[in-house]
Amino acid sequence: MKIAFFGIGIGSKNKRNEWLEVWYPEPAYQIDIDLNESLLNSIQTNTIDASSNLKLAKTLSRSETENSVIFDESIKLLENQPPGLTITLMIEDKPPETTPECYLKLHCLSHRLVKPNQINLDGIFNYLKTIAWTNHGPIDATEIDDVITKMHLLGKRVDITSVDKFPKMTDYVVPPSVRIANTSRVRLGAYLGEGTTVMHEGFVNFNAGTEGPNMVEGRISAGVFCAKGTDIGGGASIMGTLSGGGKETISIGQGCLLGANSGIGISLGDNCIVEAGLYITAGTIVSEVDSMHKEKNLKKARELSKANDLLFRRNSVSGQVECLRNKSTVALNSDLHKSN
Amino acid sequence: MKIAFFGIGIGSKNKRNEWLEVWYPEPAYQIDIDLNESLLNSIQTNTIDASSNLKLAKTLSRSETENSVIFDESIKLLENQPPGLTITLMIEDKPPETTPECYLKLHCLSHRLVKPNQINLDGIFNYLKTIAWTNHGPIDATEIDDVITKMHLLGKRVDITSVDKFPKMTDYVVPPSVRIANTSRVRLGAYLGEGTTVMHEGFVNFNAGTEGPNMVEGRISAGVFCAKGTDIGGGASIMGTLSGGGKETISIGQGCLLGANSGIGISLGDNCIVEAGLYITAGTIVSEVDSMHKEKNLKKARELSKANDLLFRRNSVSGQVECLRNKSTVALNSDLHKSN
Amino acid sequence: MKIAFFGIGIGSKNKRNEWLEVWYPEPAYQIDIDLNESLLNSIQTNTIDASSNLKLAKTLSRSETENSVIFDESIKLLENQPPGLTITLMIEDKPPETTPECYLKLHCLSHRLVKPNQINLDGIFNYLKTIAWTNHGPIDATEIDDVITKMHLLGKRVDITSVDKFPKMTDYVVPPSVRIANTSRVRLGAYLGEGTTVMHEGFVNFNAGTEGPNMVEGRISAGVFCAKGTDIGGGASIMGTLSGGGKETISIGQGCLLGANSGIGISLGDNCIVEAGLYITAGTIVSEVDSMHKEKNLKKARELSKANDLLFRRNSVSGQVECLRNKSTVALNSDLHKSN
């Protein structure tokens, strides 16, 4: 049968027996698995037992040959039955309604099985608990104080790297052929295409990312996707829709350069440049300048959204924000994108 | 008797037997404890012994009913007497003169017992050692080289996350109902009100913070306090008084929005907006614009400090920095501030 | 004999027996060591055995008196012969051609033996593998998936803090008298002079750094060097040559201030200020203003590169970028630079 999302993972719970998080080594999207009614039912009602686990393992090893999804690691989990073993399955792409479903969908994004804005993540914040991510594993934030005191009395310490609903991606997924200088700045659910380098000042939210190869030294907000060859400069800001920004989901075309400390509240087409330090919001009034450097006409930046070959700058003599035809091409430094 | 600051903690020292840091599970501010002269004296001279410890434990368990300060964890420490047990007490709010006093005051801020700028932290830098914060605990920075070599010869590594006078807050305090995406960016002594979310690009120094709920994606310098409902956009800068900034301690009113990559060197009243990418220093000359968009008059930004309902922007056609009456209201996305 | 680079270290390899990284406790630059032909040969061909190790240890203990290089720790390594022991020697300063040579050169920078741009690092990216830096040590990024699965089946987790070709400096070198609030933002190969404080928003790439004392709250790109007393404000950007920037390697003189969220694409001489929020690229047209505030003439910023005593600002009334004679002096807050 056709299944939208499928994964076998290991997860953990809080003291009230509620799911905190799940790791899926081999999440799958839009696959065909030969599940009989009773196996499907026991997965969905979470009543799968040891013998059903082994039946599922056999089914998955057969599936491999049919549709080239490889479940080697998942089968290992089913055979070993480690604590926290869980099977998650969504027949259709509906809004997630459990923590495991949220984690499965976020895994699919980071494993590059689906692109940002391609799947339904409505209401995801409601099913993700605030977790203290520690050197002793994930702990429900409301239970952390007890753990800290107990550890101190044992002469040990709890190192908490984050108190957040979303984990960092590399706790769950390390996609091939990327570099991430500081992993705490890429959330699970980020999509990093092959050849993406996220430098120390880069940031990628969930449901956002890069086609690859790309250089990311600025902040890619939730919902934003950057096509290949684009360079997001140091400290550059891309407005998101979650907080403080506008309502349009922003995309950036191929071969663009957002200069250092620049920002955009509009989408860019291909081969565009925003000058270092310049912030273009949707409401910025931009003066279109022709090749003779004569002023053409004034437009709101949102009218230029998704147009190709534009160079945005603030004229340093007049102070006016201008838009010129961009004739140069941005080239990434290939040395920085090899990840041998 | 009335006591300004009180705490029972576990601390560590360097090889010269000097205090490095102390963790206090239940710091207290302005409380009444029934201490007799001899108990007080032995705490102050640091000569408290096992039997005095138990007397103090009894005193504290009685105090609980009187003024609703709960010392459950502290009593546990007194009874267990772990290595590094220490009792710190300051009758008045004077400048801190020992490392434990500094840590106690910083704990009180992060536990929300006092607000930024409310207590005396004069000279705190002089009593805080530069510490290498490692996976093997805090180590005096001058002693770290030996530890590194020894560990390497044992086939182990020392992971140093910070070499600094201030630790990250979550090593000592995890206040309820907050999210901190990257804990390394919030120092002990930060005050994060209920419902505060500090995103990856957010930063909060000691003696600074938010009333809550707030969204923090920019940098809150030492001394700065933000009232509720205010959103500090990605990469936004607020000038501090410690380094490079001016002399005025900045505050921000309710319901303000600092746009992404913006900055301020003045205080804001309620309901103000600073456009993304615009930096308003105290000396910026601002043109007040009325509702008819006619220029009114030029003022230094510092004359507008703490005024309500202002919208600051740089006119994208004239290049002039303008100040308009702000008619919109900033609303935080409540999904982002739930921390269930 | 004269040797350009010399170090005895402990390193690790991937499963294909290729070097990943090496730690050298006492790297040396331009020294004279009394090596006979056979010892030199066995070091260079990596065929040194236990008895040669001890011969080298004796040679090094004699060297100490001659040229004041102290090899106490290196001798300890030679005597203990821990797994991964390696000796690296480059007679001349040629481009590095092995991973150990790269690490040795980067160590020399961070140990302050050489300054940025002083040694040959050509092609260094080609000899550095992309490594997953984990709580279980450095692991080749192409081998990390296996480790993650194995650890999960053991109920353990792998914490990956970085997936990058360069490690953070403090994994290898902790120079004396510096503070680094967040060590993940300073790469091995950074040169941090005495009294340098790198705050949470600061960043220093390899082959870049500060003379000291300095305050660093912005980003120092590869190749950039800042003279003493200079303050790089929060989020300030300095254009590098590796990605997106120009071709000129930027330097900054003494006593400069880059305001918060400012940026430069030109070099600065001594005693210069760039206003908060202003980005000066090489092509910015700057209006030189004399003391009477009359406009003098227009210049490209690159013509002002390396000039002293300049104050750059954007006139907040006219929108024009101006350059004035700077009369004030920048003074670092000495409290912030003590690292006792």
Side-chain angles (χ1 to χ4, degrees), chain A residues 246-287:
Chain A
K247 277 166 194 168
E248 193 206 339
T249 297
I250 289 178
S251 63
I252 304 183
Q254 297 181 13
C256 291
L257 171 64
L258 288 195
N261 289 2
S262 71
I264 51 171
I266 61 166
S267 292
L268 300 180
D270 295 337
N271 196 33
C272 292
I273 295 180
V274 180
E275 179 194 51
L278 175 63
Y279 211 113
I280 300 283
T281 64
T284 300
I285 293 168
V286 175
S287 159

Side-chain angles (χ1 to χ4, degrees), chain A residues 67-138:
Chain A
N67 55 13
S68 84
V69 177
I70 299 168
F71 286 108
D72 288 353
E73 302 299 313
S74 303
I75 291 166
K76 241 185 260 175
L77 296 195
L78 290 172
E79 288 169 350
N80 279 275
Q81 297 186 49
L85 177 69
T86 188
I87 303 167
T88 308
L89 177 152
M90 296 180 79
I91 293 176
E92 289 171 67
D93 181 12
K94 293 184 178 164
E97 291 188 339
T98 66
T99 304
E101 286 177 2
C102 294
Y103 272 77
L104 179 54
K105 288 192 163 192
L106 295 172
H107 273 71
C108 285
L109 279 155
S110 292
H111 272 276
R112 301 174 187 156
L113 301 177
V114 297
K115 289 210 165 143
N117 306 314
Q118 189 186 331
I119 59 173
N120 194 328
L121 297 171
D122 291 351
I124 191 167
F125 276 83
N126 300 317
Y127 298 97
L128 295 175
K129 289 205 186 305
T130 298
I131 292 176
W133 304 94
T134 83
N135 57 335
H136 302 284

